[in-house]
Amino acid sequence: MIQALQDQSEQVKKAAFELLLERAEPRVKKILQNHNLYLFFECFFTFKQHSIGVDAIAISSDGKIIVSGDANHIINVWNLDTGEIKLTLQSRGSWIESICISLDCQTIFNGTNLHSIEAWDLNTGQLKYTLKGHSGQVKSVAISSDGQTLVSAGCNDKTVKIWNLNTKESQHTLEGHTDCVCSIAISPDQQTIVSSSHDGTIKVWDFVTGDLKLTIEAHSCNVFSIAISPDSQRIVSCSWEQVIKIWDLNTGELKRTLIDSSGAYSVVFSHDGQSIVSGCYDSTIKVWDLNTGFKKTLKGHSGCVFCVAISPDGQRLVSSSQDTTVKVWGLPELQYN
């Protein structure tokens, strides 16, 4: 069975992998730990309660909650284990393109088209407060690993703002992009903020001071999505160019280019940093094994995959789509009862 993991047939590899999961020998467990489990993922649950495209999703740090936001100002809070809706919230904005959850799993943050960020109580669904400072749509939001800082990207004002969540005040406004800022990320080591824009660039900022450290001339057109690797050393980006690029965060050097004719719209690193998952215009999800170069295609959506996220334990992948659904992907034995 171990030898079968290297078989050319995907069906043979999958069968061997599933059989080996039932074995308790330490040698087998070690081999499976080093094997890319994402290549065997299947869709085993679909959330269908949205009535319009779902642009944003987030998974709580305890892996129990999914939050999804759509283009009709609705936010749904789901139990990841049962698929049941816990809460439905109605944003004051008309289009939710960005969402994140506080590290203590108590607050949902979402950007709006009304120059603001809303903060909701995850348990009661009550609006706790609103952060105002952008002059247009808030395209992306991200929260620091210590839960003390929120970062937001403004589309119309072309800025990035750093918010102190204790004082609810903006600490820094980062300027330099010449077009809509569409994606932001905070490095896990809390040293760096990375932003991407429709101007084709990626900018690297100092997390504490807000100083610009680096500008990467990344793509010839809109850079839709970026993510930072778990070791805070690499950036992954995607754009209209139908390529995914991996960059050195410290030097801006292009390390690798992945050709993706499907058209990647969203990207994320796996938790071990050895894989990249991309949501695509052609309704598919691609899993890229960075060690072997192998690419797996996950099919199930019927519209552009707007957003992809991986659970904290790495056991589940969640995707949202223009087709109004949110899908949960994983290994067969993790299926809901």
Side-chain angles (χ1 to χ4, degrees):
M1 285 189 289
I2 291 173
Q3 289 179 339
L5 289 174
Q6 308 304 321
D7 195 275
Q8 292 186 352
S9 168
E10 187 172 333
Q11 288 79 9
V12 171
K13 287 190 288 188
K14 180 180 177 182
F17 187 85
E18 292 176 353
L19 288 170
L20 287 169
L21 283 171
E22 301 174 2
R23 303 298 290 261
E25 294 92 330
R27 182 171 75 100
V28 173
K29 290 187 176 297
K30 184 176 181 180
I31 289 171
L32 293 182
Q33 285 176 355
N34 295 325
H35 207 78
N36 192 334
L37 62 87
Y38 300 105
L39 301 181
F40 304 105
F41 271 21
E42 298 176 358
C43 177
F44 56 77
F45 201 86
T46 300
F47 301 152
K48 299 180 179 179
Q49 276 72 12
H50 285 282
S51 61
I52 198 168
V54 186
D55 290 88
I57 51 173
I59 304 175
S60 61
S61 60
D62 61 8
K64 296 180 179 180
I65 297 295
I66 302 172
V67 178
S68 56
D70 67 24
N72 194 29
H73 64 252
I74 296 299
I75 299 170
N76 281 325
V77 180
W78 315 80
N79 184 310
L80 182 54
D81 290 325
T82 65
E84 296 177 352
I85 289 184
K86 295 184 61 178
L87 293 169
T88 294
L89 314 175
Q90 186 168 318
S91 169
R92 296 174 182 176
S94 62
W95 192 343
I96 299 166
E97 293 189 84
S98 56
I99 204 160
C100 66
I101 305 172
S102 64
L103 274 294
D104 61 5
C105 304
Q106 298 299 307
T107 308
I108 301 166
F109 297 95
N110 70 278
T112 76
N113 62 323
L114 301 176
H115 331 298
S116 62
I117 301 158
E118 296 171 328
W120 304 84
D121 188 299
L122 191 148
N123 298 301
T124 67
Q126 296 299 309
L127 182 64
K128 298 168 70 173
Y129 56 87
T130 301
L131 302 175
K132 297 182 178 180
H134 286 287
S135 60
Q137 184 177 10
V138 179
K139 191 80 170 175
S140 182
V141 290
I143 196 164
S144 61
S145 56
D146 65 3
Q148 302 300 306
T149 303
L150 186 78
V151 179
S152 59
C155 184
N156 301 73
D157 60 19
K158 310 168 191 176
T159 67
V160 175
K161 287 187 177 291
I162 303 175
W163 304 84
N164 183 318
L165 292 180
N166 293 314
T167 64
K168 312 297 187 298
E169 299 290 335
S170 174
Q171 292 181 305
H172 300 287
T173 297
L174 314 183
E175 300 178 324
H177 283 294
T178 59
D179 206 335
C180 171
V181 184
C182 45
S183 184
I184 49 174
I186 302 173
S187 62
D189 63 7
Q190 290 195 181
Q191 299 298 307
T192 307
I193 296 168
V194 177
S195 59
S196 72
S197 169
H198 287 180
D199 64 18
T201 69
I202 296 172
K203 291 186 180 292
V204 181
W205 315 82
D206 186 278
F207 178 80
V208 177
T209 66
D211 293 335
L212 179 63
K213 299 166 67 175
L214 185 66
T215 296
I216 302 171
E217 300 294 334
H219 296 269
S220 62
C221 52
N222 303 0
V223 187
F224 289 122
S225 179
I226 52 172
I228 300 175
S229 61
D231 62 3
S232 302
Q233 297 300 305
R234 292 168 293 162
I235 305 166
V236 61
S237 64
C238 65
S239 80
W240 275 118
E241 295 175 314
Q242 297 187 334
V243 295
I244 295 171
K245 295 184 178 182
I246 302 173
W247 310 87
D248 186 295
L249 184 147
N250 298 299
T251 67
E253 178 186 357
L254 178 62
K255 306 298 289 186
R256 193 166 180 177
T257 299
L258 306 172
I259 305 300
D260 185 12
S261 60
S262 303
Y265 189 85
S266 53
V267 286
V268 65
F269 272 102
S270 64
H271 292 279
D272 60 6
Q274 302 305 305
S275 300
I276 289 170
V277 178
S278 59
C280 305
Y281 282 100
D282 70 350
S283 310
T284 66
I285 297 167
K286 299 291 191 302
V287 180
W288 307 79
D289 188 309
L290 299 180
N291 293 317
T292 66
F294 185 82
K295 179 175 66 176
K296 166 77 172 181
T297 299
L298 304 177
K299 297 180 179 181
H301 284 293
S302 59
C304 175
V305 180
F306 287 140
C307 192
V308 286
I310 296 176
S311 62
D313 62 5
Q315 299 296 308
R316 288 172 179 164
L317 168 67
V318 180
S319 59
S320 67
S321 170
Q322 185 180 24
D323 66 11
T324 76
T325 69
V326 175
K327 290 183 178 290
V328 181
W329 309 75
L331 296 174
E333 68 275 10
L334 295 178
Q335 292 185 23
Y336 295 113
N337 296 325

